[in-house]
Amino acid sequence: MGRGRVEPSLESAKPVKDNSSMPLIDQYHRPVKDLRISVTDRCNYRCAYCMPLDEYTWIEKDEVLTFEEITRLATLFIQMGVEKIRLTGGEPLVRRDLEKLIAALSPLPGLKDLSLTTNGSFLAEKAAALRAAGLRRINVSLDTLNPERFRQITKRGDLEKVLAGIFAAHGAGLNPVKINAVIVRGLNDDEIVPLIEFCRTNGFSIRFIEYMDVGNANSWSLEKTVTKQEILQTINQHFPLREVGRMDGRAPAIDYQFLDGTGDIGIIGSVTEPFCATCTRARLTADGKLVTCLFAQEGHDLKSLMRRGATDQEICQVIRSTWTVRKDRYSDERWENLRSGAGYQPKDHRKIEMITLGG
Ligand code: SAM
């Protein structure tokens, strides 16, 4: 597993011509390697930093991809180069019988890694079934260890249920159990060290995520983003670290190990250290739209194509023609604008909400 940092300049890349005999690469020579599948846009939480609105236009139930449709598309994406699939949402565990989808996806030839990101609220009852269906590892979002603050952030959540879910996942043999924590200034920036202590004590990994301007509903501002460097500094004061690097050279997180050998962490610095140059992620919305960037404004409708009776070859052709013209480098551009003082305004970019396109 290569973990060197390969972050070539996108500006110097030459355009690529489409040719179905060529490996699937975009305009900046980035292959498609990872697929995030949103299995539902519904979520039982209303996290302040994600999608806090009570009223929202949800995808109609019959527009949501069936497990058979998801499996068919996943199979085609794997044929086109995808090696890793992450199930997400919305909250993936609100989708009934999710373990059946995992059982269908986990044995797909060529799939090297299948994972799931959840808020953990239903994990206590689901962990054993997920593991039995073939899931090996899991990411659980947890931004605070304080029950009142947890309620304040999620509006609807119960910390105790999530903690029970995390321990159930560990007990069921999901390994690693990774905790995802978004750090927002003034909200939970005093929880970096307690969260690390919790993870080190219990054998969990942790990923800190810079607060991003995903979607349009979360009132993001740069001042609220606790930067990767700040997070690192806080951690180093308590638990000295050494950098390991980006898994496979393309993972969102830069990983670190504690010098005392107990545990590891990762930091996702999407805002202040964007990694568009190594982004190999495609996303599939719950209603079957192919999205080529977390900050995209629109997707490409694969569901209608499938439901009109398209052949596998025709679907692959649409995936190919979408990916080969991909030029997304939103986070790079945002950072360039922020640094140059060019007046970046997140509200100028109407994006698909993260809850819809799959975080
Ligand atoms: N419901 C699941 C969950 O809570 O993990 C999966 C969907 S959620 C959108 C996926 C991940 O996105 C979570 O780890 C969440 O913390 C992260 N996330 C949501 N909004 C974010 C934001 N504004 N900045 C950074 N990460 C965010």
Side-chain angles (χ1 to χ4, degrees):
M1 185 172 354
R3 298 188 125 208
R5 228 142 118 197
V6 188
E7 304 192 17
S9 157
L10 292 180
E11 287 308 280
S12 59
K14 294 222 168 62
V16 176
K17 290 230 166 60
D18 184 16
N19 175 342
S20 53
S21 64
M22 284 168 66
L24 187 52
I25 50 174
D26 72 5
Q27 292 289 302
Y28 293 121
H29 298 265
R30 298 169 295 189
V32 63
K33 290 280 180 194
D34 313 81
L35 181 63
R36 301 225 167 158
I37 302 176
S38 171
V39 295
T40 178
D41 60 337
R42 315 263 161 156
C43 188
N44 52 332
Y45 288 180
R46 289 291 176 276
C47 295
Y49 55 74
C50 185
M51 212 298 284
L53 308 178
D54 284 317
E55 297 295 316
Y56 189 62
T57 310
W58 304 104
I59 297 172
E60 296 289 333
K61 287 228 158 54
D62 53 5
E63 299 299 322
V64 172
L65 293 183
T66 64
F67 287 166
E68 290 73 22
E69 288 170 329
I70 293 176
T71 307
R72 181 178 177 200
L73 288 176
T75 306
L76 298 179
F77 272 100
I78 292 167
Q79 285 168 14
M80 302 186 85
V82 162
E83 297 174 344
K84 296 183 173 186
I85 290 181
R86 175 177 298 279
L87 301 181
T88 179
E91 171 45 41
L93 294 184
V94 305
R95 178 94 189 241
R96 192 179 301 160
D97 297 331
L98 188 74
E99 57 277 16
K100 291 187 180 160
L101 178 64
I102 288 171
L105 295 178
S106 57
L108 289 179
L111 183 62
K112 295 187 181 160
D113 183 58
L114 176 65
S115 57
L116 171 75
T117 302
T118 172
N119 64 27
S121 51
F122 301 111
L123 199 49
E125 46 279 33
K126 283 285 186 180
L130 295 171
R131 179 67 190 87
L135 191 71
R136 302 216 176 297
R137 64 191 192 92
I138 197 158
N139 286 33
V140 187
S141 301
L142 178 71
D143 313 300
T144 172
L145 293 164
N146 174 323
E148 276 126 60
R149 190 180 277 177
F150 187 83
R151 189 83 182 166
Q152 180 199 349
I153 293 175
T154 62
K155 276 195 183 170
R156 302 173 177 186
D158 178 353
L159 175 64
E160 235 175 83
K161 282 182 84 176
V162 175
L163 294 178
I166 291 170
F167 286 107
H170 195 238
L174 291 166
N175 185 21
V177 173
K178 270 188 199 169
I179 303 302
N180 284 359
V182 179
I183 302 299
V184 182
R185 198 178 311 281
L187 186 65
N188 65 340
D189 46 344
D190 55 347
E191 301 233 18
I192 296 171
V193 172
L195 282 165
I196 288 182
E197 282 167 342
F198 170 74
C199 290
R200 276 165 55 96
T201 305
N202 294 292
F204 309 137
S205 299
I206 183 160
R207 297 284 169 274
F208 291 102
I209 310 174
E210 281 186 352
Y211 178 36
M212 301 180 272
D213 59 323
V214 293
N216 315 290
N218 67 3
S219 335
W220 178 89
S221 70
L222 181 61
E223 292 70 43
K224 291 190 205 156
T225 297
V226 180
T227 68
K228 171 172 168 279
Q229 284 311 321
E230 289 176 291
I231 295 171
L232 210 48
Q233 224 169 19
T234 302
I235 300 172
N236 255 315
Q237 280 165 9
H238 296 83
F239 307 104
L241 295 165
R242 86 175 173 84
E243 184 175 321
V244 178
R246 249 184 236 290
M247 169 101 66
D248 299 332
R250 64 171 202 265
I254 294 183
D255 292 337
Y256 298 82
Q257 277 174 352
F258 296 110
L259 292 188
D260 69 6
T262 309
D264 63 283
I265 67 151
I267 309 180
I268 303 181
S270 339
V271 176
T272 63
E273 295 184 19
F275 40 86
C276 297
T278 54
C279 178
T280 53
R281 275 168 292 287
R283 292 182 151 80
L284 194 59
T285 64
D287 59 348
K289 299 213 172 72
L290 168 59
V291 178
T292 57
C293 176
L294 180 57
F295 302 93
Q297 298 182 324
E298 58 183 13
H300 304 262
D301 188 359
L302 300 181
K303 180 203 66 202
S304 300
L305 193 68
M306 256 193 310
R307 292 191 182 174
R308 283 200 304 268
T311 62
D312 286 354
Q313 215 181 1
E314 285 163 342
I315 297 169
C316 285
Q317 187 45 46
V318 172
I319 296 172
R320 176 169 288 280
S321 56
T322 306
W323 190 266
T324 48
V325 299
R326 175 184 189 241
K327 289 173 85 171
D328 306 285
R329 49 185 297 275
Y330 178 89
S331 295
D332 274 356
E333 287 167 354
R334 173 186 50 212
W335 189 231
E336 284 160 13
N337 280 329
L338 285 168
R339 269 192 317 181
S340 68
Y344 170 80
Q345 288 297 340
K347 292 266 184 282
D348 292 346
H349 306 260
R350 297 299 301 174
K351 300 165 232 119
I352 308 173
E353 290 300 332
M354 198 182 199
I355 200 168
T356 296
L357 63 68

